[in-house]
Amino acid sequence: MKKERRNIMAAIEKSYLHWPDLQFIDWCSYYYGINRGIYNTIDAWFYEYGILNLTERRRAILQFLKQAGKREGIKFGKGGLTSNLEQFAAYSKGWEHDREIYHQ
C-alpha cells in the first residue's frame, strides 16, 4: 500500500514539472509556503549552478524544498537561502555525481 501511494505521489509530482511557470510557482508557494521572490532566487541559483534544463531544475527545486521543509518549516534568514542551497548541493546523496547530465 505504501509503495502504491509513493508511486501515485511520484506521478503527480512529475506532472507538476510540466506546468506553466505561474501554476508551478503558485503550487510551490501554496505547498511549501515560499513567496515568488524566494522561488525565483532558488531557480536562478540552480540555473547558475549548471542545471539548464527546466524540468531537471524544477526537480532539483522540489528536492531542495522537501529537504528544507523537514527542518521546522521553511524559513531562511539573511543569507540563509544561499547557504542552504550550497549545503544541499554539497551533501545531497548523488547530487554531484549526477550533475554532469544537467550541463547538456
Side-chain angles (χ1 to χ4, degrees), residues 18-38:
H18 302 288
W19 283 1
D21 287 340
L22 181 59
Q23 284 85 349
F24 184 76
I25 293 167
D26 286 346
W27 181 83
C28 288
S29 177
Y30 172 78
Y31 195 77
Y32 293 103
I34 61 170
N35 63 36
R36 184 181 297 268
I38 295 293

Side-chain angles (χ1 to χ4, degrees), residues 63-81:
Q63 188 177 358
F64 170 74
L65 291 173
K66 283 180 192 175
Q67 180 179 321
K70 291 180 183 175
R71 291 176 277 128
E72 301 175 17
I74 300 178
K75 295 183 180 180
F76 305 105
K78 186 172 183 170
L81 179 57

Side-chain angles (χ1 to χ4, degrees), residues 20-98:
D21 287 340
L22 181 59
Q23 284 85 349
F24 184 76
I25 293 167
D26 286 346
W27 181 83
C28 288
S29 177
Y30 172 78
Y31 195 77
Y32 293 103
I34 61 170
N35 63 36
R36 184 181 297 268
I38 295 293
Y39 174 86
N40 287 339
T41 301
I42 295 168
D43 186 42
W45 190 91
F46 279 116
Y47 182 85
E48 291 170 10
Y49 185 73
I51 304 174
L52 306 180
N53 180 284
L54 179 61
T55 55
E56 294 302 321
R57 196 164 60 248
R58 286 182 174 181
R59 188 172 286 129
I61 290 168
L62 292 177
Q63 188 177 358
F64 170 74
L65 291 173
K66 283 180 192 175
Q67 180 179 321
K70 291 180 183 175
R71 291 176 277 128
E72 301 175 17
I74 300 178
K75 295 183 180 180
F76 305 105
K78 186 172 183 170
L81 179 57
T82 300
S83 66
N84 275 280
L85 285 161
E86 290 168 351
Q87 288 175 6
F88 173 79
Y91 298 110
S92 289
K93 188 174 185 176
W95 190 258
E96 287 297 321
H97 179 268
D98 296 334

